[in-house]
Amino acid sequence: MDKAEAFMIAGETIAPGTVRDVAFPITTMATGTNSSLAVKVLHGARPGPAVFVSAAIHGDEIIGTAVIQRLARMLRPEALAGTVLLVPVANIFGFITHSRYLPDRRDLNRSFPGSAGGSLAGQLAHIFTNEVVRRCSLGIDIHSAAIHRYNLPQIRIAAGNRRLVELAMAFGAPVIIESPLRDGSLRGLASKHGVDMLLMEAGEALRFDRLSIETGVEGVCRVLAHLGMIESDDGLTTVGIPARANRTVWVRSPRGGVAQLVRESGAPVRKGELLGCVAGLFGEDEEAMVSPVDGIVIGHATLPVVHQGDALFHIAAIDHPERVGARIDSITEAILASEPQGSAQGMLDEDEVV
Ligand SMILES: [Zn+2]
């Protein structure tokens, strides 16, 4: 059996088949305290690709932090081929203030590649780029919806890349969205460095939900198994074929007031079908919202107090929504019904509280 070579990171030498927590100093805060980016490095006994899994690039999007905590307990470097870098909280500043942004009001996911002499966001982006992204051939970055919104677990990938479609299919989230890359985003940066990126969107900011966490844990494991980094016969759930879309639309509130939704994430909808209503404070002058397309609801607002123009539904345009919706239901049921996998190998704690 091939044996991996040592992995060098943060001035440390990590032997094959071992795990090490490393920290990259970022900057000095106003109080004089130092801040650093924490990374857990699981360096496999056998050679293989390097993959990072990151969360909370938007500091209040913490679903991925829960996913990474589970992965950190499950993955065993002695049984691993290749290297996994876990970054449970990329935007450590927004994380502690429950904010999407950094103290300098920047969005970390618009600040890549950053620079060593730049703003706080730029310095953090620079370290993440050089110490994490550039060491890997694949990254899985986990986001949630913004505050007071919920996203059906979904994978977003750059359009027109067959390799990414293959990896996204292996992940097995209910929906795959092919979307353009944004300037300054982690996905944009990764593509410039030839690093494959899957972006998972799931759940709500500042909250945990079981479907999102299970989808993330199982999805990352299925991708690692697909790459030959872990064994694939360790209890991973088999899920159906995800729905795919390359166009999404937002449905916004036609007036300010109080909204009542009759459809939510995961629901199939037909063009012209009722999604919900918004009325005034006395329930007067109710206005309906209908779907502009055939599709699947992939995100919805959870706060009924709305202003005119607030985005209340995000819909992926998909043909045959009922048939696809049934497939999505079967995927989510399989994910939720699955026993935490890998008990024989100690991969998951069965008494996990989510
Ligand atoms: Zn985000």
Side-chain angles (χ1 to χ4, degrees):
M1 188 174 73
D2 284 355
K3 197 165 179 345
E5 295 180 357
F7 191 78
M8 314 289 285
I9 187 168
E12 301 204 38
T13 304
I14 303 176
T18 66
V19 58
R20 186 87 55 88
D21 292 348
V22 298
F24 297 97
I26 302 167
T27 192
T28 312
M29 304 294 293
T31 52
T33 48
N34 295 317
S35 56
S36 57
L37 178 70
V39 181
K40 185 180 285 289
V41 183
L42 299 113
H43 186 41
R46 288 171 291 132
V51 174
F52 73 86
V53 186
S54 55
I57 268 201
H58 293 134
D60 59 350
E61 299 179 6
I62 58 173
I63 286 281
T65 309
V67 171
I68 287 172
Q69 289 182 341
R70 287 265 292 270
L71 293 170
R73 265 178 270 172
M74 286 165 51
L75 296 171
R76 297 180 308 130
E78 63 274 21
L80 186 69
T83 310
V84 177
L85 279 66
L86 299 175
V87 187
V89 181
N91 176 359
I92 53 171
F93 308 105
F95 183 74
I96 56 174
T97 55
H98 313 162
S99 165
R100 176 184 179 90
Y101 303 103
L102 284 97
D104 63 2
R105 305 184 189 194
R106 307 282 170 92
D107 181 333
L108 181 57
N109 209 26
R110 302 288 180 272
S111 302
F112 287 95
S115 69
S119 67
L120 186 55
Q123 294 172 52
L124 179 50
H126 176 73
I127 287 166
F128 198 91
T129 300
N130 287 303
E131 304 296 350
V132 178
V133 179
R134 295 181 68 173
R135 293 172 183 278
C136 296
S137 56
L138 169 68
I140 302 173
D141 187 33
I142 305 176
H143 291 243
S144 74
I147 191 163
H148 302 315
R149 318 188 58 79
Y150 179 86
N151 278 343
L152 181 72
Q154 58 198 261
I155 289 289
R156 298 194 184 166
I157 53 173
N161 182 325
R162 283 173 54 189
R163 165 82 178 150
L164 290 182
V165 172
E166 177 192 318
L167 292 168
M169 294 294 249
F171 193 101
V175 179
I176 298 170
I177 309 284
E178 296 187 52
S179 59
L181 301 176
R182 284 205 177 98
D183 266 0
S185 71
L186 177 56
R187 281 201 296 157
L189 166 92
S191 87
K192 286 188 187 122
H193 288 284
V195 179
D196 290 330
M197 279 289 310
L198 301 179
L199 186 145
M200 176 177 160
E201 281 279 356
E204 187 175 351
L206 299 175
R207 297 287 182 273
F208 287 164
D209 71 280
R210 184 161 169 250
L211 176 64
S212 298
I213 295 170
E214 297 287 353
T215 305
V217 172
E218 293 196 19
V220 171
C221 288
R222 273 192 289 270
V223 169
L224 297 181
H226 182 79
L227 297 173
M229 296 174 68
I230 63 173
E231 297 298 322
S232 55
D233 59 354
D234 52 13
L236 288 173
T237 319
T238 304
V239 293
I241 300 168
R244 284 173 63 182
N246 55 20
R247 186 168 78 92
T248 67
V249 293
W250 291 95
V251 177
R252 295 179 180 279
S253 181
R255 58 160 294 167
V258 179
Q260 303 225 16
L261 311 188
V262 297
R263 290 286 179 274
E264 59 181 32
S265 296
V269 289
R270 284 284 181 182
K271 184 175 179 177
E273 192 176 321
L274 182 69
L275 298 170
C277 295
V278 187
L281 298 185
F282 297 100
E284 78 284 11
D285 300 330
E286 189 171 76
E287 293 192 36
M289 290 169 288
V290 299
S291 180
V293 292
D294 288 354
I296 301 287
V297 180
I298 57 167
H300 68 273
T302 56
L303 182 67
V305 181
V306 299
H307 301 300
Q308 183 177 353
D310 282 356
L312 301 190
F313 297 93
H314 195 193
I315 301 175
I318 288 173
D319 292 338
H320 313 297
E322 293 85 7
R323 199 188 328 154
V324 173
R327 237 164 61 202
I328 290 173
D329 284 347
S330 81
I331 293 177
T332 55
E333 279 163 23
I335 289 168
L336 288 174
S338 65
E339 289 291 313
Q341 79 271 36
S343 51
Q345 295 192 350
M347 284 184 70
L348 271 183
D349 283 350
E350 298 217 354
D351 58 352
E352 191 83 42
V353 176
V354 171

